[in-house]
mmCIF file with all atom_site columns, all heavy atoms in Angstrom:
data_model
loop_
_atom_site.group_PDB
_atom_site.id
_atom_site.type_symbol
_atom_site.label_atom_id
_atom_site.label_alt_id
_atom_site.label_comp_id
_atom_site.label_asym_id
_atom_site.label_entity_id
_atom_site.label_seq_id
_atom_site.pdbx_PDB_ins_code
_atom_site.Cartn_x
_atom_site.Cartn_y
_atom_site.Cartn_z
_atom_site.occupancy
_atom_site.B_iso_or_equiv
_atom_site.pdbx_formal_charge
_atom_site.auth_seq_id
_atom_site.auth_comp_id
_atom_site.auth_asym_id
_atom_site.auth_atom_id
_atom_site.pdbx_PDB_model_num
ATOM   1   N  N   . HIS A 1 24  ? 0.713  -5.188 -4.780 1.00 97.00 ? 46  HIS A N   1
ATOM   2   C  CA  . HIS A 1 24  ? 1.012  -6.116 -3.628 1.00 97.00 ? 46  HIS A CA  1
ATOM   3   C  C   . HIS A 1 24  ? -0.229 -6.615 -3.131 1.00 97.00 ? 46  HIS A C   1
ATOM   4   O  O   . HIS A 1 24  ? -1.216 -6.125 -3.230 1.00 97.00 ? 46  HIS A O   1
ATOM   5   C  CB  . HIS A 1 24  ? 1.761  -5.309 -2.496 1.00 97.00 ? 46  HIS A CB  1
ATOM   6   C  CG  . HIS A 1 24  ? 1.166  -4.144 -2.016 1.00 97.00 ? 46  HIS A CG  1
ATOM   7   N  ND1 . HIS A 1 24  ? 0.030  -4.185 -0.993 1.00 97.00 ? 46  HIS A ND1 1
ATOM   8   C  CD2 . HIS A 1 24  ? 1.288  -2.823 -2.222 1.00 97.00 ? 46  HIS A CD2 1
ATOM   9   C  CE1 . HIS A 1 24  ? -0.440 -2.980 -0.810 1.00 97.00 ? 46  HIS A CE1 1
ATOM   10  N  NE2 . HIS A 1 24  ? 0.281  -2.122 -1.450 1.00 97.00 ? 46  HIS A NE2 1
ATOM   11  N  N   . ASP A 1 28  ? -4.078 -1.637 -0.700 1.00 96.00 ? 50  ASP A N   1
ATOM   12  C  CA  . ASP A 1 28  ? -4.309 -0.459 0.003  1.00 96.00 ? 50  ASP A CA  1
ATOM   13  C  C   . ASP A 1 28  ? -4.649 0.729  -0.859 1.00 96.00 ? 50  ASP A C   1
ATOM   14  O  O   . ASP A 1 28  ? -4.796 0.450  -2.121 1.00 96.00 ? 50  ASP A O   1
ATOM   15  C  CB  . ASP A 1 28  ? -2.971 -0.108 0.915  1.00 96.00 ? 50  ASP A CB  1
ATOM   16  C  CG  . ASP A 1 28  ? -1.753 0.149  0.182  1.00 96.00 ? 50  ASP A CG  1
ATOM   17  O  OD1 . ASP A 1 28  ? -1.969 0.417  -1.100 1.00 96.00 ? 50  ASP A OD1 1
ATOM   18  O  OD2 . ASP A 1 28  ? -0.742 0.372  0.714  1.00 96.00 ? 50  ASP A OD2 1
ATOM   19  N  N   . ASP A 1 30  ? -3.030 3.281  -2.119 1.00 98.00 ? 52  ASP A N   1
ATOM   20  C  CA  . ASP A 1 30  ? -2.098 3.551  -3.226 1.00 98.00 ? 52  ASP A CA  1
ATOM   21  C  C   . ASP A 1 30  ? -2.144 2.461  -4.331 1.00 98.00 ? 52  ASP A C   1
ATOM   22  O  O   . ASP A 1 30  ? -2.194 2.762  -5.478 1.00 98.00 ? 52  ASP A O   1
ATOM   23  C  CB  . ASP A 1 30  ? -0.632 3.687  -2.568 1.00 98.00 ? 52  ASP A CB  1
ATOM   24  C  CG  . ASP A 1 30  ? 0.311  4.362  -3.570 1.00 98.00 ? 52  ASP A CG  1
ATOM   25  O  OD1 . ASP A 1 30  ? -0.186 4.963  -4.532 1.00 98.00 ? 52  ASP A OD1 1
ATOM   26  O  OD2 . ASP A 1 30  ? 1.477  4.139  -3.240 1.00 98.00 ? 52  ASP A OD2 1
ATOM   27  N  N   . SER A 1 31  ? -2.168 1.142  -3.812 1.00 98.00 ? 53  SER A N   1
ATOM   28  C  CA  . SER A 1 31  ? -2.079 0.146  -4.860 1.00 98.00 ? 53  SER A CA  1
ATOM   29  C  C   . SER A 1 31  ? -3.376 0.119  -5.709 1.00 98.00 ? 53  SER A C   1
ATOM   30  O  O   . SER A 1 31  ? -3.337 -0.043 -6.875 1.00 98.00 ? 53  SER A O   1
ATOM   31  C  CB  . SER A 1 31  ? -1.815 -1.171 -4.164 1.00 98.00 ? 53  SER A CB  1
ATOM   32  O  OG  . SER A 1 31  ? -2.930 -1.710 -3.539 1.00 98.00 ? 53  SER A OG  1
ATOM   33  N  N   . GLU A 1 90  ? 3.830  -1.004 -6.856 1.00 97.00 ? 112 GLU A N   1
ATOM   34  C  CA  . GLU A 1 90  ? 4.054  -1.052 -5.468 1.00 97.00 ? 112 GLU A CA  1
ATOM   35  C  C   . GLU A 1 90  ? 4.624  -2.253 -4.786 1.00 97.00 ? 112 GLU A C   1
ATOM   36  O  O   . GLU A 1 90  ? 4.160  -2.722 -3.669 1.00 97.00 ? 112 GLU A O   1
ATOM   37  C  CB  . GLU A 1 90  ? 2.665  -0.875 -4.739 1.00 97.00 ? 112 GLU A CB  1
ATOM   38  C  CG  . GLU A 1 90  ? 2.372  0.677  -4.669 1.00 97.00 ? 112 GLU A CG  1
ATOM   39  C  CD  . GLU A 1 90  ? 2.044  0.949  -3.166 1.00 97.00 ? 112 GLU A CD  1
ATOM   40  O  OE1 . GLU A 1 90  ? 0.958  0.626  -2.685 1.00 97.00 ? 112 GLU A OE1 1
ATOM   41  O  OE2 . GLU A 1 90  ? 2.854  1.474  -2.500 1.00 97.00 ? 112 GLU A OE2 1
ATOM   42  N  N   . ASP A 1 114 ? 7.578  1.275  -8.707 1.00 98.00 ? 136 ASP A N   1
ATOM   43  C  CA  . ASP A 1 114 ? 7.457  1.224  -7.203 1.00 98.00 ? 136 ASP A CA  1
ATOM   44  C  C   . ASP A 1 114 ? 8.144  2.379  -6.620 1.00 98.00 ? 136 ASP A C   1
ATOM   45  O  O   . ASP A 1 114 ? 8.975  3.114  -7.279 1.00 98.00 ? 136 ASP A O   1
ATOM   46  C  CB  . ASP A 1 114 ? 8.187  -0.169 -6.881 1.00 98.00 ? 136 ASP A CB  1
ATOM   47  C  CG  . ASP A 1 114 ? 8.076  -0.282 -5.389 1.00 98.00 ? 136 ASP A CG  1
ATOM   48  O  OD1 . ASP A 1 114 ? 6.962  0.045  -4.748 1.00 98.00 ? 136 ASP A OD1 1
ATOM   49  O  OD2 . ASP A 1 114 ? 8.984  -0.821 -4.697 1.00 98.00 ? 136 ASP A OD2 1
ATOM   50  N  N   . HIS A 1 115 ? 7.814  2.626  -5.277 1.00 96.00 ? 137 HIS A N   1
ATOM   51  C  CA  . HIS A 1 115 ? 8.492  3.631  -4.557 1.00 96.00 ? 137 HIS A CA  1
ATOM   52  C  C   . HIS A 1 115 ? 9.121  3.167  -3.205 1.00 96.00 ? 137 HIS A C   1
ATOM   53  O  O   . HIS A 1 115 ? 9.262  3.970  -2.344 1.00 96.00 ? 137 HIS A O   1
ATOM   54  C  CB  . HIS A 1 115 ? 7.521  4.786  -4.397 1.00 96.00 ? 137 HIS A CB  1
ATOM   55  C  CG  . HIS A 1 115 ? 6.375  4.607  -3.427 1.00 96.00 ? 137 HIS A CG  1
ATOM   56  N  ND1 . HIS A 1 115 ? 6.026  5.577  -2.590 1.00 96.00 ? 137 HIS A ND1 1
ATOM   57  C  CD2 . HIS A 1 115 ? 5.646  3.510  -3.212 1.00 96.00 ? 137 HIS A CD2 1
ATOM   58  C  CE1 . HIS A 1 115 ? 4.996  5.069  -1.841 1.00 96.00 ? 137 HIS A CE1 1
ATOM   59  N  NE2 . HIS A 1 115 ? 4.687  3.816  -2.241 1.00 96.00 ? 137 HIS A NE2 1
ATOM   60  N  N   . HIS A 1 116 ? 9.230  1.926  -3.109 1.00 90.00 ? 138 HIS A N   1
ATOM   61  C  CA  . HIS A 1 116 ? 9.864  1.384  -1.851 1.00 90.00 ? 138 HIS A CA  1
ATOM   62  C  C   . HIS A 1 116 ? 11.536 1.623  -1.950 1.00 90.00 ? 138 HIS A C   1
ATOM   63  O  O   . HIS A 1 116 ? 12.046 1.717  -2.962 1.00 90.00 ? 138 HIS A O   1
ATOM   64  C  CB  . HIS A 1 116 ? 9.688  -0.061 -1.639 1.00 90.00 ? 138 HIS A CB  1
ATOM   65  C  CG  . HIS A 1 116 ? 8.197  -0.331 -1.264 1.00 90.00 ? 138 HIS A CG  1
ATOM   66  N  ND1 . HIS A 1 116 ? 7.160  -0.551 -2.155 1.00 90.00 ? 138 HIS A ND1 1
ATOM   67  C  CD2 . HIS A 1 116 ? 7.626  -0.249 0.076  1.00 90.00 ? 138 HIS A CD2 1
ATOM   68  C  CE1 . HIS A 1 116 ? 6.052  -0.701 -1.431 1.00 90.00 ? 138 HIS A CE1 1
ATOM   69  N  NE2 . HIS A 1 116 ? 6.300  -0.532 -0.170 1.00 90.00 ? 138 HIS A NE2 1
ATOM   70  N  N   . ALA A 1 133 ? 5.997  10.339 -3.037 1.00 95.00 ? 155 ALA A N   1
ATOM   71  C  CA  . ALA A 1 133 ? 5.141  10.265 -1.774 1.00 95.00 ? 155 ALA A CA  1
ATOM   72  C  C   . ALA A 1 133 ? 4.137  9.054  -1.892 1.00 95.00 ? 155 ALA A C   1
ATOM   73  O  O   . ALA A 1 133 ? 3.868  8.396  -0.906 1.00 95.00 ? 155 ALA A O   1
ATOM   74  C  CB  . ALA A 1 133 ? 4.466  11.491 -1.540 1.00 95.00 ? 155 ALA A CB  1
ATOM   75  N  N   . ALA A 1 134 ? 3.811  8.703  -3.120 1.00 97.00 ? 156 ALA A N   1
ATOM   76  C  CA  . ALA A 1 134 ? 2.922  7.603  -3.440 1.00 97.00 ? 156 ALA A CA  1
ATOM   77  C  C   . ALA A 1 134 ? 3.301  7.058  -4.803 1.00 97.00 ? 156 ALA A C   1
ATOM   78  O  O   . ALA A 1 134 ? 3.783  7.841  -5.615 1.00 97.00 ? 156 ALA A O   1
ATOM   79  C  CB  . ALA A 1 134 ? 1.360  7.971  -3.365 1.00 97.00 ? 156 ALA A CB  1
ATOM   80  N  N   . CYS A 1 135 ? 3.002  5.819  -5.017 1.00 98.00 ? 157 CYS A N   1
ATOM   81  C  CA  . CYS A 1 135 ? 3.108  5.257  -6.392 1.00 98.00 ? 157 CYS A CA  1
ATOM   82  C  C   . CYS A 1 135 ? 2.360  6.062  -7.329 1.00 98.00 ? 157 CYS A C   1
ATOM   83  O  O   . CYS A 1 135 ? 2.604  6.137  -8.539 1.00 98.00 ? 157 CYS A O   1
ATOM   84  C  CB  . CYS A 1 135 ? 2.914  3.748  -6.280 1.00 98.00 ? 157 CYS A CB  1
ATOM   85  S  SG  . CYS A 1 135 ? 3.826  2.779  -7.432 1.00 98.00 ? 157 CYS A SG  1
ATOM   86  N  N   . GLY A 1 136 ? 1.135  6.432  -6.874 1.00 98.00 ? 158 GLY A N   1
ATOM   87  C  CA  . GLY A 1 136 ? 0.100  7.194  -7.699 1.00 98.00 ? 158 GLY A CA  1
ATOM   88  C  C   . GLY A 1 136 ? 0.706  8.383  -8.295 1.00 98.00 ? 158 GLY A C   1
ATOM   89  O  O   . GLY A 1 136 ? 0.343  8.831  -9.429 1.00 98.00 ? 158 GLY A O   1
ATOM   90  N  N   . ALA A 1 161 ? -4.649 7.532  -3.808 1.00 98.00 ? 183 ALA A N   1
ATOM   91  C  CA  . ALA A 1 161 ? -3.310 7.002  -3.713 1.00 98.00 ? 183 ALA A CA  1
ATOM   92  C  C   . ALA A 1 161 ? -2.581 7.825  -2.775 1.00 98.00 ? 183 ALA A C   1
ATOM   93  O  O   . ALA A 1 161 ? -1.894 7.556  -1.843 1.00 98.00 ? 183 ALA A O   1
ATOM   94  C  CB  . ALA A 1 161 ? -2.682 6.689  -5.016 1.00 98.00 ? 183 ALA A CB  1
ATOM   95  N  N   . ASP A 1 165 ? -1.424 7.389  1.120  1.00 94.00 ? 187 ASP A N   1
ATOM   96  C  CA  . ASP A 1 165 ? -0.110 6.916  1.262  1.00 94.00 ? 187 ASP A CA  1
ATOM   97  C  C   . ASP A 1 165 ? 0.758  8.066  1.971  1.00 94.00 ? 187 ASP A C   1
ATOM   98  O  O   . ASP A 1 165 ? 1.879  7.689  2.361  1.00 94.00 ? 187 ASP A O   1
ATOM   99  C  CB  . ASP A 1 165 ? 0.613  6.486  -0.074 1.00 94.00 ? 187 ASP A CB  1
ATOM   100 C  CG  . ASP A 1 165 ? 1.128  5.107  0.049  1.00 94.00 ? 187 ASP A CG  1
ATOM   101 O  OD1 . ASP A 1 165 ? 0.456  4.251  0.521  1.00 94.00 ? 187 ASP A OD1 1
ATOM   102 O  OD2 . ASP A 1 165 ? 2.227  4.793  -0.550 1.00 94.00 ? 187 ASP A OD2 1
ATOM   103 N  N   . HIS A 1 297 ? 9.190  1.096  4.049  1.00 86.00 ? 319 HIS A N   1
ATOM   104 C  CA  . HIS A 1 297 ? 9.791  2.466  3.961  1.00 86.00 ? 319 HIS A CA  1
ATOM   105 C  C   . HIS A 1 297 ? 10.401 2.698  5.347  1.00 86.00 ? 319 HIS A C   1
ATOM   106 O  O   . HIS A 1 297 ? 10.175 2.090  6.325  1.00 86.00 ? 319 HIS A O   1
ATOM   107 C  CB  . HIS A 1 297 ? 8.829  3.482  3.718  1.00 86.00 ? 319 HIS A CB  1
ATOM   108 C  CG  . HIS A 1 297 ? 7.879  3.108  2.485  1.00 86.00 ? 319 HIS A CG  1
ATOM   109 N  ND1 . HIS A 1 297 ? 8.228  3.450  1.219  1.00 86.00 ? 319 HIS A ND1 1
ATOM   110 C  CD2 . HIS A 1 297 ? 6.596  2.539  2.463  1.00 86.00 ? 319 HIS A CD2 1
ATOM   111 C  CE1 . HIS A 1 297 ? 7.262  3.001  0.431  1.00 86.00 ? 319 HIS A CE1 1
ATOM   112 N  NE2 . HIS A 1 297 ? 6.317  2.528  1.051  1.00 86.00 ? 319 HIS A NE2 1
HETATM 113 MN MN1 . LIG B 2 .   ? 2.571  3.163  -1.677 1.00 61.62 ? 14  LIG B MN1 1
#
Side-chain angles (χ1 to χ4, degrees):
H46 61 77
D50 66 7
D52 194 16
S53 73
E112 273 237 283
D136 186 32
H137 71 139
H138 286 92
C157 210
D187 238 38
H319 310 275

